[in-house]
C-alpha cells in the first residue's frame, strides 16, 4: 500500500527566512496531496493542496510543488513569521475511494 | 455555525471500560471520519462514513465500532478499552463523497486508558 515519508521531523529557521518540508510517496497512482497545519493543542487545518495534473500551486507565502517522476512533493513557506510555528502534515491519496495516507509530521520552529 | 463538534474533550478510562465519543457537524457534509493521532505517527484513519448508514474500515479499525446515526452525527465506540488506545481522537467531515476533499476537523478528544 501507499507509504508517505516526511522530512525533516523538526525544522528550525530564523524569522524571515524560508522553510521547505518534503514528502515522498510510494504509489505512483497517488493523485491528491494536501498539507495540513496543526498549531499546538489545536485541530489540523488544510493550508494548501495539489492534484497530480498540476506541478505547482501558490497561496500568498506558501507554495506546494509536485514532482511525479521522483514521487515527491514539497511545502515552501517564504518570509516565515512567528505564527508559522506549528506541526505540518503531508498526505497522499490515489483517488476519492482510497484513504489519505499521512506523513509523520514536521515541527516547524520560527526563531525570533 | 460551530463546524465539527466533539465530546468529550478529555477522558480517562480504566482497562476494560467502554465509552462513546460523540461527533456532530452542522455544515451539511456528506462524509465523516474518525482519526487517531499518536506522537510521531501522524494521523491514522479508524473509520469513514460516506453517508448515513454506511461505514468503511480505515487503517486501524480493530477495537472500535462506529455508528452514523444521521447525516450530522458520527459516533465512535470503544467496547473494552485497552492502554494501546490511549491517543488523541479527531472527528472530521468533508463536503463530498470520497477522500480527496478538504477535511474539517473537530477539536479532538484526549483519551487515556490506564
Amino acid at each position: 500500500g501507499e507509504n508517505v515519508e516526511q522530512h525533516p521531523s523538526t525544522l528550525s529557521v530564523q524569522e524571515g527566512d524560508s522553510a521547505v518540508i518534503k514528502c515522498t510517496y510510494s504509489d505512483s497512482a497517488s493523485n491528491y496531496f494536501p498539507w495540513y497545519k496543526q498549531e499546538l493543542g489545536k485541530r489540523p487545518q488544510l493550508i494548501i493542496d495539489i492534484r497530480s495534473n498540476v506541478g505547482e500551486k501558490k497561496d500568498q507565502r506558501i507554495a506546494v510543488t509536485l514532482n511525479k517522476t521522483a514521487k515527491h512533493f514539497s511545502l515552501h513557506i517564504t518570509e516565515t513569521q512567528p505564527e508559522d510555528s506549528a506541526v505540518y502534515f503531508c498526505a497522499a491519496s490515489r483517488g476519492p475511494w482510497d484513504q489519505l495516507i499521512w506523513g509523520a509530521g514536521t515541527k516547524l520552529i520560527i526563531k525570533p | 455555525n460551530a463546524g465539527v463538534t466533539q465530546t468529550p474533550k478529555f477522558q480517562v478510562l480504566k482497562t476494560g471500560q467502554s465509552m462513546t465519543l460523540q461527533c456532530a457537524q452542522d455544515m451539511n457534509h456528506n462524509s465523516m471520519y474518525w482519526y487517531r493521532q499518536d506522537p510521531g505517527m501522524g494521523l491514522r484513519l479508524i473509520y469513514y462514513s460516506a453517508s448515513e448508514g454506511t461505514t468503511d474500515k480505515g487503517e486501524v479499525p480493530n477495537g472500535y465500532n462506529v455508528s452514523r446515526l444521521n447525516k450530522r452525527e458520527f459516533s465512535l465506540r470503544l467496547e473494552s478499552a485497552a492502554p494501546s488506545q490511549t491517543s488523541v481522537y479527531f472527528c472530521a467531515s468533508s463536503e463530498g463523497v470520497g477522500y480527496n476533499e478538504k477535511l474539517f476537523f473537530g477539536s479532538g478528544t484526549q483519551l487515556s486508558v490506564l
Side-chain angles (χ1 to χ4, degrees), chain B residues 5-64:
Chain B
T5 304
Q6 273 183 250
T7 55
K9 291 191 183 301
F10 301 95
Q11 184 72 47
V12 179
L13 293 177
K14 294 181 180 179
T15 297
Q17 287 186 317
S18 62
M19 78 161 296
T20 300
L21 281 66
Q22 306 286 353
C23 177
Q25 51 90 11
D26 62 3
M27 296 175 284
N28 200 35
H29 284 175
N30 287 296
S31 297
M32 296 187 74
Y33 313 73
W34 276 105
Y35 281 96
R36 61 177 288 172
Q37 183 176 41
D38 301 295
M41 296 189 73
L43 290 155
R44 291 185 292 170
L45 182 67
I46 304 171
Y47 271 96
Y48 164 66
S49 172
S51 62
E52 180 183 349
T54 66
T55 60
D56 290 310
K57 293 180 180 179
E59 187 181 353
V60 288
N62 291 344
Y64 305 95

Side-chain angles (χ1 to χ4, degrees), chain A residues 41-78:
Chain A
K42 301 287 183 62
R43 70 195 76 190
Q45 292 187 300
L46 180 72
I47 54 171
I48 196 167
D49 59 5
I50 192 168
R51 299 186 188 269
S52 60
N53 58 344
V54 175
E56 183 176 3
K57 186 176 180 180
K58 290 183 180 180
D59 184 3
Q60 299 183 331
R61 294 187 298 109
I62 62 172
V64 56
T65 57
L66 172 64
N67 184 327
K68 289 187 288 184
T69 303
K71 292 189 287 186
H72 66 73
F73 58 108
S74 299
L75 177 70
H76 305 255
I77 306 174
T78 59

Side-chain angles (χ1 to χ4, degrees), chain B residues 59-73:
Chain B
E59 187 181 353
V60 288
N62 291 344
Y64 305 95
N65 286 302
V66 290
S67 180
R68 182 75 181 269
L69 305 169
N70 48 55
K71 192 171 186 179
R72 291 186 64 248
E73 299 172 290

Side-chain angles (χ1 to χ4, degrees), chain A residues 77-90:
Chain A
I77 306 174
T78 59
E79 300 173 2
T80 53
Q81 300 171 3
E83 55 263 37
D84 296 327
S85 293
V87 178
Y88 292 81
F89 292 96
C90 65

Side-chain angles (χ1 to χ4, degrees), chain A residues 91-110:
Chain A
S93 167
R94 295 187 304 175
W97 305 114
D98 285 283
Q99 61 181 286
L100 281 170
I101 303 299
W102 297 74
T106 296
K107 183 176 183 179
L108 177 62
I109 300 167
I110 307 300

